[in-house]
Amino acid sequence: MNLGDLGAPLAVGNTAKVYLFENKIIKVFNDNLPYTESMNEANRQEYAYSCGLYVPKVLDVIKLEEDKQAIVMEYIKGETIGNLLSDNPEQAEYYMNISIDLQRKVHQNEADSIDLMSEKLSRQINSAPYLGNELKSSLLDKLGSMVFEKRLCHGDFHLFNLIKSDDKVAIIDWVDASAGDLRADIYRTYLLYSQLSMDLADMYLHLYCKKSGLSKGEILKWAPIIAAARLSECVITERPERLLDIVNDYPATEVE
């Protein structure tokens, strides 16, 4: 199989292109990624699948003729919750509640055989641009002081990674999954929403805390760490200045 056989991509992300081919999804990774990336993501997705979550089944990990790594997985036909919300903004709270219930199901699973979130965050902070060595050291100390139970965390949980298919909703894109603190995963989602809409972000955080009994303060303690780590991703749509403001303002996140 070569890339030309796949036609036009169904979606284009920061690390890969996704194709629909012969009723299967083929996720083709960018050339700049480590050659272990496809197998690592497949392992994370298979772990989530083994937890009983509604996740596309991994069918194979392959190499295309152009020496590109790819994952072949089950195709789940449907619409993303993000698109549904865009078409029906008056139902924002309804769709947000669906997403939070799913994220809480993810967090209920203890994780013991996938990468540690703390190790990934440490690597990201160390490689993040715009941060001086003293600030990096302070952030790494803060990361090391966090105490938590290792839970399954998606790492990129948002409405566009949820596909509504009939009466079920599938969770896709497990590339950033790890074993870590659910509060960090919640803050990561909040950070992603706040890039688009503070109203949506605040609704998410309010509803998650209401459902879970967590306080906003214990979630916001992760703000400087997660914002600093995101700097290393160099996402085109994210403003580094916004993330730096969050990092530099982190004493304010210590309040409950």
Side-chain angles (χ1 to χ4, degrees), residues 175-215:
V175 62
D176 293 309
S178 65
D181 186 4
L182 60 89
R183 297 163 187 81
D185 201 43
I186 297 165
Y187 184 78
R188 165 77 179 193
T189 298
Y190 174 80
L191 182 67
L192 296 176
Y193 287 150
S194 67
Q195 181 185 347
L196 302 173
S197 164
M198 280 306 305
D199 287 342
L200 195 66
D202 289 340
M203 176 192 292
Y204 164 76
L205 191 59
H206 171 74
L207 290 174
Y208 203 109
C209 290
K210 183 179 178 181
K211 285 174 175 284
S212 65
L214 296 171
S215 72

Side-chain angles (χ1 to χ4, degrees), residues 61-78:
V61 177
I62 63 172
K63 183 194 297 184
L64 301 183
E65 289 182 8
E66 295 87 350
D67 205 32
K68 291 180 178 292
Q69 54 181 323
I71 300 175
V72 182
M73 66 186 84
E74 172 190 10
Y75 171 49
I76 296 177
K77 186 177 182 180

Side-chain angles (χ1 to χ4, degrees), residues 221-233:
K221 284 180 180 178
W222 280 95
I225 295 169
I226 303 301
R230 184 156 171 79
L231 277 169
S232 71
E233 298 172 22

Side-chain angles (χ1 to χ4, degrees), residues 44-65:
R44 296 181 189 110
Q45 190 161 319
E46 287 177 329
Y47 184 82
Y49 185 90
S50 75
C51 292
L53 299 167
Y54 186 34
V55 173
K57 186 175 182 179
V58 174
L59 304 175
D60 203 358
V61 177
I62 63 172
K63 183 194 297 184
L64 301 183
E65 289 182 8

Side-chain angles (χ1 to χ4, degrees), residues 33-237:
L33 297 172
Y35 206 70
T36 55
E37 193 72 13
S38 56
M39 186 58 72
N40 287 340
E41 179 172 344
N43 289 339
R44 296 181 189 110
Q45 190 161 319
E46 287 177 329
Y47 184 82
Y49 185 90
S50 75
C51 292
L53 299 167
Y54 186 34
V55 173
K57 186 175 182 179
V58 174
L59 304 175
D60 203 358
V61 177
I62 63 172
K63 183 194 297 184
L64 301 183
E65 289 182 8
E66 295 87 350
D67 205 32
K68 291 180 178 292
Q69 54 181 323
I71 300 175
V72 182
M73 66 186 84
E74 172 190 10
Y75 171 49
I76 296 177
K77 186 177 182 180
E79 192 73 59
T80 69
I81 297 290
N83 285 339
L84 291 172
L85 173 57
S86 297
D87 293 339
N88 304 277
E90 73 284 356
Q91 296 190 53
E93 187 168 333
Y94 168 74
Y95 288 121
M96 191 60 75
N97 273 310
I98 290 174
S99 76
I100 290 170
D101 290 343
L102 283 172
Q103 193 173 18
R104 293 191 68 205
K105 284 185 179 179
V106 173
H107 293 158
Q108 286 170 4
N109 294 279
E110 294 183 8
D112 53 14
S113 61
I114 57 173
D115 296 342
L116 293 175
M117 176 191 286
S118 55
E119 292 180 358
K120 179 181 180 180
L121 291 174
S122 180
R123 290 194 301 270
Q124 289 179 308
I125 291 170
N126 274 312
S127 65
Y130 311 111
L131 301 178
N133 289 334
E134 186 175 342
L135 182 52
K136 286 184 180 181
S137 179
S138 175
L139 289 165
L140 291 171
D141 286 344
K142 184 175 178 66
L143 173 60
S145 71
M146 295 294 199
V147 179
F148 54 87
E149 295 180 3
K150 288 187 293 185
R151 297 285 177 168
L152 177 60
C153 295
H154 183 276
D156 196 29
F157 196 95
H158 55 75
L159 297 174
F160 289 95
N161 276 336
L162 303 174
I163 298 178
K164 190 175 189 306
S165 176
D166 296 326
D167 60 343
K168 297 169 67 178
V169 180
I171 309 168
I172 63 170
D173 201 2
W174 289 84
V175 62
D176 293 309
S178 65
D181 186 4
L182 60 89
R183 297 163 187 81
D185 201 43
I186 297 165
Y187 184 78
R188 165 77 179 193
T189 298
Y190 174 80
L191 182 67
L192 296 176
Y193 287 150
S194 67
Q195 181 185 347
L196 302 173
S197 164
M198 280 306 305
D199 287 342
L200 195 66
D202 289 340
M203 176 192 292
Y204 164 76
L205 191 59
H206 171 74
L207 290 174
Y208 203 109
C209 290
K210 183 179 178 181
K211 285 174 175 284
S212 65
L214 296 171
S215 72
K216 291 182 181 180
E218 59 187 305
I219 293 166
L220 293 175
K221 284 180 180 178
W222 280 95
I225 295 169
I226 303 301
R230 184 156 171 79
L231 277 169
S232 71
E233 298 172 22
C234 301
V235 179
I236 295 173
T237 56

